[in-house]
Amino acid sequence: WRAGDTKHLTWTASTIKLAVVTDLLERARAGEITLSATDRSQIADILNRAADDAATALWNRYGKSAMATRFRTTYGMTTLTFIDGYTKFWGHMKCTAEDLYHLITYVTTKLDATDRAYVLDAMRHVGPIQQWGVWAAGPRWSPGTKDGWSIESDDGQKHWVTNAEGFAGPDQRYLVALMYQLPPGKEIGDGVHTVSDLVATVF
């Protein structure tokens, strides 16, 4: 089921961090890199509270913009793009809801079983700052979420984005990807409530 323009390019905010985590876990599983205790702690911080500092440290340590190639070719985020005029950084990217849907599909169906269990459990037990978005499906659905929120600029006007990707239901039966580009003048709370109310209504 789809609603709205699911192919509209929107700032990813922290939703792209799920791709960063997935990439690092897969490369470690393949023996391409070795994740230290600090790296593992930073991955946990990303999943729990969307920690920017942790994401930046891992981005800089393990490939920077080169990581995005795999996001596109392996995780199905085919329209993911860096924004012209900005440095090529995890926080300066846009994608579509379709891209996020492909990413959460990969995580729930193709990621190594042990790594998948870890990521899904972490998404089910996020800290208070991320207890919205797909989380709003309610406890009976055992939802997991990775949220993204930030103030961005388009057409010379600043505005909030509130995005979420995740899953709900037995064996992650339902996959969810939402991106909401708020109009200028609206606050983050407006976006958080709109996205959460939509999920709650559907479920």
Side-chain angles (χ1 to χ4, degrees):
W1 176 80
R2 286 167 170 77
D5 183 1
T6 62
K7 295 184 179 180
H8 176 71
L9 281 172
T10 303
W11 294 87
T12 65
S14 290
T15 55
I16 196 63
K17 294 173 186 173
L18 182 59
V20 172
V21 167
T22 301
D23 176 76
L24 294 177
L25 292 176
E26 290 202 310
R27 288 162 64 191
R29 181 70 57 183
E32 297 174 15
I33 60 174
T34 300
L35 295 174
S36 67
T38 297
D39 297 332
R40 297 280 181 179
S41 177
Q42 289 171 333
I43 286 172
D45 282 346
I46 286 173
L47 294 172
N48 183 260
R49 59 184 182 87
D52 287 349
D53 51 351
T56 298
L58 292 169
W59 175 268
N60 290 335
R61 195 176 300 138
Y62 290 109
K64 299 183 178 179
S65 62
M67 298 173 73
T69 299
R70 191 166 188 205
F71 300 171
R72 298 186 189 100
T73 60
T74 303
Y75 306 153
M77 305 182 75
T78 56
T79 58
L80 178 70
T81 184
F82 289 104
I83 307 305
D84 291 340
Y86 292 81
T87 56
K88 290 186 176 182
F89 177 63
W90 69 261
H92 300 154
M93 306 178 81
K94 286 186 178 183
C95 76
T96 69
E98 298 288 346
D99 291 322
L100 293 185
Y101 170 73
H102 291 148
L103 173 60
I104 193 63
T105 298
Y106 187 95
V107 170
T108 56
T109 62
K110 296 183 178 180
L111 187 59
D112 171 84
T114 300
D115 293 332
R116 180 170 66 244
Y118 164 72
V119 171
L120 299 190
D121 183 69
M123 292 176 70
R124 287 190 182 99
H125 297 91
V126 291
I129 199 170
Q130 289 197 106
Q131 291 178 5
W132 55 277
V134 190
W135 181 271
R140 69 173 285 227
W141 292 99
S142 299
T145 195
K146 179 70 198 78
D147 300 332
W149 63 97
S150 58
I151 297 178
E152 303 295 356
S153 180
D154 286 288
D155 301 320
Q157 293 184 301
K158 291 189 176 298
H159 62 86
W160 280 96
V161 296
T162 50
N163 308 325
E165 60 197 331
F167 54 85
D171 299 319
Q172 303 83 53
R173 171 66 179 84
Y174 302 102
L175 304 180
V176 185
L178 309 93
M179 304 190 83
Y180 183 23
Q181 180 175 313
L182 279 70
K186 294 291 186 179
E187 299 297 331
I188 183 173
D190 299 315
V192 166
H193 282 287
T194 297
V195 168
S196 300
D197 288 349
L198 176 58
V199 171
T201 300
V202 169
F203 282 94

